[in-house]
Amino acid sequence: MRGRKAIVWAIGFFQSSVFVLAIASVISDLNNPLKIFGYAAGFATGNVVGMWIEEKLAIGHIQMIIVSSNLGTAIAEKIRGEGFAVTEIPARGRNGMVTMLSCSVFRRNVQKIHKLVNQIEVNAFITTEDVRPVRRGFWRA
C-alpha cells in the first residue's frame, strides 16, 4: 500500500479477523469436506479478487526500463510526444550497442507506454519495478 499505514492496518485487521473466524469453523469440523473446500475456494478467490482490485486502482509509480536494439530514439520521441518524460541511455547489450530508456510513470499509464513502444518495436525488452518518488522530476499530470 506504499506507505499508507492506517489503511494497511485496517485492512489487515479485517482480513485476519475473517481468517480466524473461517479457519475456526473449518477446524471445528474437519470431517466436513465441503467446509474445507469452501475455505480453500474462498481463500483462492480472495487472492484473485484482491489482485484484480489492486490492478484497477493502479496506485503508485512504476519505473519502466525499455531496451531497444535499433529504435530507441524513435521510441523515446513517441513517448515524449504523448507527454511523458523519458531518459535515453546508451548501453552495451549481448550483441552490441543498444538504447536503454528509463521512464517513470504512474501505474495507470504502464499499458499506454507499453502500447506506444509496441507501435515502434514489438521486440523491445521492457521491465518494470515499483518506485517511490522522493522529490522533483517530471510526472505527467
Side-chain angles (χ1 to χ4, degrees):
M1 292 294 293
R2 291 160 186 76
R4 294 181 174 91
K5 292 178 180 114
I7 293 172
V8 170
W9 186 91
I11 291 171
F13 183 85
F14 176 74
Q15 179 184 4
S16 62
S17 298
V18 170
F19 174 77
V20 168
L21 293 172
I23 202 71
S25 175
V26 172
I27 289 176
S28 69
D29 191 9
L30 287 175
N31 294 325
N32 187 344
L34 288 177
K35 282 189 175 183
I36 296 169
F37 177 79
Y39 174 79
F43 182 85
T45 302
N47 285 337
V48 172
V49 169
M51 290 170 60
W52 179 80
I53 290 170
E54 196 264 342
E55 285 175 9
K56 294 300 177 190
L57 291 175
I59 297 169
H61 301 82
I62 293 288
Q63 178 74 29
M64 297 184 75
I65 301 295
I66 304 153
V67 179
S68 172
S69 298
N70 302 311
L71 300 169
T73 300
I75 294 170
E77 288 173 6
K78 181 77 170 177
I79 293 170
R80 287 183 188 118
E82 292 294 319
F84 297 98
V86 61
T87 301
E88 297 177 68
I89 306 162
R92 184 176 311 278
R94 183 182 71 179
N95 297 324
M97 293 305 291
V98 297
T99 303
M100 190 168 83
L101 305 173
S102 176
C103 189
S104 297
V105 297
F106 292 112
R107 288 188 65 221
R108 66 179 172 266
N109 292 322
V110 169
Q111 286 304 316
K112 183 171 186 169
I113 299 293
H114 188 237
K115 288 178 185 176
L116 293 172
V117 172
N118 280 344
Q119 290 174 6
I120 306 291
E121 184 179 3
V122 295
N123 293 324
F125 180 71
I126 303 172
T127 61
T128 63
E129 67 179 284
D130 288 333
V131 295
R132 287 176 130 183
V134 176
R135 62 179 216 173
R136 297 196 183 122
F138 178 85
W139 295 96
R140 180 180 178 187

